[in-house]
Amino acid sequence: MRRSPVWSPEQYGTYADERARPFRDLVDRIGATDVRSVVDLGCGPGALTATLRDIWPEATIRGIDSSPQMLEAAAQYADDHLSFELGDVREWSGDDLDVIVTNATLQWVPEQLDLLPGFVRALRPGGWLAIQIPGNGDAPSHAILRELANKPPYAEYAKDASLRPDVPGPADYIEALSALGCRVDAWETTYFHVLAGDNAVLEWVKGTGARPVLQSLPDDVRPAFEAEYGARLAEAYPQKPYGTVLPFRRIFAVAHKER
């Protein structure tokens, strides 16, 4: 049986500024005013959720995440206007919300388009839904991961953990959210992050995309996998004097519920 990975706020926080940029670009396209209630679905360690207080200082903001480890890290940001709670995005429901943000979360949910009607219903008339997901499933970082996870001796443990659902593109979001009575702004961006440090792409993916695979491996198998994976990544993403370039495609959709 495939187990949910235990997420590490510390590892995820590596290259925090680069991870934050898509969140800022997403939220910048939300045109909400007089905001009273905000939910961040898949809030992670809470640092980005906390920045929403600066945008909507009068709002009540809730961060929801399925990882106890992430929520433990997020607790440091809680105050009278900002709270965090354990929850699964697939089971969540709400009502009378002004803004729903879900950043780098829905890529893990195969049925994510089926969740959109519930998200839109949770918005008050005139509310906003903002979604960002990685769209880099064909990148070398992921292709190499799948290849290694599907060969001996790793496949016995990691084959299922390497499976990732197909993700919608901007046009899919436009079609699905328009059918729910929303005006939709959808786009994609490829960031070219310049990462510092040795084997920087390995350190990046250990906090996110590669984590389920790495955690599926027994302790006596994992070091060999990580060494082989790291060597392949270093070849695919060579380190330069100025850093390592990681092209990273991301997909965005911002929907405004009609009044």
Side-chain angles (χ1 to χ4, degrees), residues 12-203:
Y12 185 81
T14 305
Y15 308 114
D17 185 62
E18 289 83 359
R19 295 192 194 278
R21 185 175 171 188
F23 183 88
R24 294 193 296 264
D25 290 347
L26 175 69
V27 173
D28 188 57
R29 301 291 277 269
I30 300 173
T33 58
D34 189 26
V35 174
R36 298 161 295 176
S37 55
V38 179
V39 167
D40 183 3
L41 296 174
C43 63
L48 296 178
T49 313
T51 66
L52 300 177
R53 293 178 298 192
D54 299 328
I55 302 171
W56 302 299
E58 301 302 318
T60 297
I61 302 170
R62 286 188 296 140
I64 297 171
D65 203 276
S66 62
S67 167
Q69 294 77 22
M70 289 295 196
L71 292 175
E72 183 177 353
Q76 64 183 301
Y77 302 106
D79 60 21
D80 291 342
H81 288 275
L82 175 60
S83 62
F84 297 92
E85 61 189 72
L86 188 69
D88 190 323
V89 66
R90 296 168 297 183
E91 301 170 355
W92 176 86
S93 64
D95 61 81
D96 200 34
L97 296 169
D98 295 294
V99 176
I100 298 172
V101 176
T102 178
N103 178 70
T105 296
L106 294 182
Q107 72 275 10
W108 299 105
V109 182
E111 69 277 16
Q112 66 157 289
L113 292 180
D114 295 336
L115 301 180
L116 299 184
F119 295 166
V120 173
R121 283 195 301 270
L123 295 171
R124 67 171 179 82
W128 294 75
L129 169 64
I131 298 167
Q132 184 274 124
I133 59 171
N136 63 334
D138 294 330
S141 56
H142 289 62
I144 295 168
L145 182 70
R146 288 191 297 270
E147 179 187 339
L148 291 179
N150 280 274
K151 78 172 195 177
Y154 313 121
E156 177 183 354
Y157 314 101
K159 183 177 180 180
D160 290 345
S162 70
L163 298 175
R164 293 284 293 274
D166 293 332
V167 298
D172 299 309
Y173 282 121
I174 291 172
E175 182 173 359
L177 290 165
S178 295
L180 297 171
C182 297
R183 288 191 290 107
V184 188
D185 178 16
W187 70 100
E188 63 181 59
T189 297
T190 298
Y191 298 89
F192 285 77
H193 299 302
V194 181
L195 306 180
D198 294 331
N199 213 338
V201 177
L202 176 63
E203 292 305 309

Side-chain angles (χ1 to χ4, degrees), residues 212-223:
V213 170
L214 292 172
Q215 291 204 336
S216 72
L217 297 167
D219 292 344
D220 60 339
V221 176
R222 188 181 306 115

